[in-house]
Amino acid sequence: LLLRAGICTFYTNTFLNWRPPRVSHKVTHRQSARLGSGIKLPCPVEGDPPPLIMWTKDGRNIHSGWVRFRFLRMGLKIKEVEADDAGTYICKATNGFGSVNINYTLIVIGKSEICLFIDYTICVCPVRPRFSEPTKMRKRVIARPVGSSVRLKCAASGTPPPDIEWLKDDLPLSDHEVGEGRQKKWTLSLRNLSPEQSGRYTCRVSNRAGEINATYKLEVIERTNSKPILTGTHPVNTTVDYGGTTSLQCKVRSDVKPVIQWLKRVESNEESRYNSTIEVGDHRFMVLPTGEVWSRPDGSYLNKLLISRAKEEDAGMYICLGANTMGYSFRSAFLTVLPDSKVPITTVFSATPTSLPWPVVIGIPAGIVFIFGTVLLWFCQSRKHCPPPTSTHPTKDCITSRNYEEYLSQQQLLLSQAALPPKLYPKIYTDIHTHTHSHVEGKVHQHQHIHFQC
């Protein structure tokens, strides 16, 4: 009984000493480290039984595969800090009675940067401004006709967020100079331009880390009443694969919105294929459907002719015609459609010399061979049974001893045995020659020669 009581007391005291993990002392949740240096994130927790420690970064478990990270008894050490090491780290301690977390925010700064703490959790390092959309700022010299519009862009970024100021001819831009336009954060829009708005426009972007600027030269051109002018090199000669898609462009500069029309020349042998054509000079043209005419910021107008699933009849000369009340201008281009590489496969069947079924076609040559063999065999057997010539026997040849009518009856019997159509029976032609020889002794011999031919 005393032994049992002692064991119960031991386990009861041990169970009463077990407790969930807890943080043993206060930690700084905001940590910073310079590039290339090392840092230790402590995890001072205690509990009974000893808790199991697990580290995560931005929700991902840190494991032994992270070569620059080393697990300590009560913390995590990071060697040669990199920029990607910045983030949120959590130390989670767990045993059978509970768990506790310690969160850290790690800021990585450059070797020569000064970190500015905005509040207790965020550290911001100044970054010099830079233009975030440089491709939209390539054209710095701009010409616009009177009454048109223009947009000048200077989108930029930096840390802290930079401020922007617009200048005209190195002086702050006034509301009067903006006119009917508007000044957004990163874009200056000028509308209904007048000649007085020509000049140099500069955007100045700055923050605590530095300043950048960009200058545009704007020239507002007074309008003159003139016919449209096709600008650039479009439309240009184009080649397209059979079944492919291409387009022809037409740029027209005009004081007022022009009418842009596409025409295709109709060859003399194709006029009957089209319902309506127009005559221009010595040629006839077909009027093609025209899509939308787009107004461009430079004061010109653009239209595209789309050709999809190109065929051979799409090849030829195309004309872009731009017209307004003062006249018209046009320019031509040729479209070439390459031949179809997929040549259709035509099956050629050899002509059959006869429409007879194949058993008959095979039986005819076989029957002829059979008849010829029978005749040859009969001839050899007749020669074999001929008696040798003697003075007592007639001197006629043995083959003449057979009656000709008897021979013909045998041939008819042989032909009847061959199961061939009557119209295909071969014919046997015979030729009988009789020769008479006179000898000195006064003897006369006659010979008959029979020739057979199928």
Side-chain angles (χ1 to χ4, degrees):
L1 292 176
L2 292 176
L3 179 60
R4 291 181 179 180
I7 295 175
C8 292
T9 303
F10 172 77
Y11 280 106
T12 301
N13 293 335
T14 303
F15 178 78
L16 292 176
N17 291 332
W18 287 350
R19 60 183 182 272
R22 65 181 183 90
V23 180
S24 58
H25 57 268
K26 187 178 180 180
V27 297
T28 302
H29 297 283
R30 184 184 65 251
Q31 299 283 338
S32 63
R34 294 189 179 275
L35 288 173
S37 64
I39 187 174
K40 177 183 176 182
L41 303 178
C43 187
V45 293
E46 59 183 17
D48 196 2
L52 177 65
I53 306 297
M54 178 179 296
W55 284 89
T56 62
K57 176 185 179 296
D58 297 332
R60 298 171 55 194
N61 291 333
I62 301 175
H63 51 78
S64 58
W66 298 34
V67 294
R68 294 183 297 102
F69 291 72
R70 181 182 176 186
F71 297 104
L72 304 177
R73 179 175 175 272
M74 296 183 67
L76 176 68
K77 183 178 182 180
I78 306 175
K79 300 185 298 182
E80 300 176 1
V81 172
E82 299 178 357
D84 293 339
D85 295 337
T88 301
Y89 291 79
I90 298 178
C91 169
K92 185 175 183 179
T94 306
N95 64 10
F97 295 90
S99 63
V100 65
N101 294 344
I102 301 178
N103 299 342
Y104 291 98
T105 298
L106 177 62
I107 304 298
V108 178
I109 62 177
K111 295 182 179 180
S112 60
E113 291 178 335
I114 300 175
C115 191
L116 305 176
F117 289 94
I118 296 180
D119 57 30
Y120 292 104
T121 59
I122 301 176
C123 176
V124 177
C125 299
V127 178
R128 180 184 174 86
R130 64 181 183 87
F131 292 115
S132 55
E133 298 178 350
T135 56
K136 297 182 179 180
M137 301 172 59
R138 292 176 179 174
K139 191 173 182 180
R140 300 292 182 90
V141 179
I142 303 172
R144 291 288 189 276
V146 172
S148 62
S149 61
V150 67
R151 290 190 301 173
L152 308 179
K153 296 185 177 182
C154 277
S157 62
T159 304
D163 297 320
I164 184 172
E165 181 184 11
W166 285 96
L167 310 174
K168 181 178 183 293
D169 297 330
D170 298 329
L171 296 176
L173 189 64
S174 64
D175 295 338
H176 174 72
E177 291 172 317
V178 175
E180 296 181 13
R182 56 180 178 174
Q183 183 176 352
K184 285 187 175 182
K185 175 70 175 178
W186 306 114
T187 303
L188 174 63
S189 299
L190 302 176
R191 299 178 180 176
N192 195 18
L193 291 174
S194 60
E196 294 79 14
Q197 291 179 294
S198 299
R200 293 183 296 109
Y201 290 81
T202 302
C203 64
R204 182 182 296 169
V205 181
S206 62
N207 65 3
R208 298 184 60 177
E211 177 184 314
I212 56 175
N213 62 74
T215 300
Y216 293 90
K217 183 179 180 180
L218 175 63
E219 181 181 2
V220 181
I221 305 173
E222 293 192 13
R223 292 179 181 268
T224 57
N225 295 327
S226 61
K227 67 179 184 179
I229 300 174
L230 271 69
T231 62
T233 59
H234 293 281
V236 296
N237 295 338
T238 306
T239 301
V240 63
D241 293 328
Y242 185 91
T245 300
T246 187
S247 63
L248 300 176
Q249 296 187 14
C250 187
K251 285 185 179 181
V252 179
R253 184 182 295 278
S254 175
D255 294 336
V256 295
K257 187 173 182 179
V259 175
I260 298 179
Q261 186 65 61
W262 286 95
L263 308 175
K264 182 181 184 299
R265 188 173 70 181
V266 178
E267 305 299 334
S268 57
N269 58 345
E270 297 180 346
E271 293 182 5
S272 59
R273 296 173 51 186
Y274 304 100
N275 296 330
S276 60
T277 58
I278 60 174
E279 186 174 355
V280 180
D282 298 333
H283 300 280
R284 300 196 68 83
F285 289 84
M286 175 180 61
V287 180
L288 302 176
T290 303
E292 182 181 359
V293 177
W294 293 289
S295 176
R296 296 173 55 85
D298 60 357
S300 64
Y301 297 87
L302 174 66
N303 181 261
K304 291 184 179 181
L305 176 65
L306 180 65
I307 301 172
S308 58
R309 298 180 181 179
K311 302 179 290 295
E312 294 180 358
E313 51 265 29
D314 293 327
M317 185 177 77
Y318 290 80
I319 287 181
C320 170
L321 178 67
N324 62 13
T325 56
M326 300 301 298
Y328 67 90
S329 298
F330 66 91
R331 187 179 295 163
S332 63
F334 285 87
L335 175 66
T336 302
V337 180
L338 299 178
D340 188 5
S341 59
K342 299 179 181 179
V343 180
I345 300 175
T346 304
T347 306
V348 179
F349 297 95
S350 59
T352 305
T354 179
S355 59
L356 296 175
W358 67 268
V360 177
V361 175
I362 297 176
I364 291 174
I368 295 174
V369 173
F370 173 74
I371 294 174
F372 179 77
T374 304
V375 173
L376 183 62
L377 179 62
W378 172 81
F379 180 76
C380 293
Q381 291 293 334
S382 300
R383 294 292 300 269
K384 182 177 179 180
H385 291 86
C386 283
T390 60
S391 58
T392 61
H393 288 82
T395 58
K396 276 185 185 178
D397 288 342
C398 179
I399 194 170
T400 61
S401 63
R402 290 182 178 266
N403 191 313
Y404 178 62
E405 287 75 5
E406 181 183 353
Y407 166 74
L408 288 179
S409 63
Q410 285 186 347
Q411 294 305 314
Q412 293 294 336
L413 179 62
L414 291 174
L415 291 175
S416 64
Q417 293 176 355
L420 296 175
K423 65 179 180 179
L424 299 178
Y425 285 165
K427 295 180 180 181
I428 301 177
Y429 302 91
T430 59
D431 187 12
I432 304 176
H433 300 276
T434 303
H435 300 274
T436 304
H437 300 276
S438 299
H439 297 271
V440 180
E441 295 85 355
K443 296 180 180 179
V444 178
H445 289 170
Q446 287 184 345
H447 301 276
Q448 276 188 338
H449 298 274
I450 303 176
H451 300 274
F452 303 92
Q453 182 178 1
C454 297

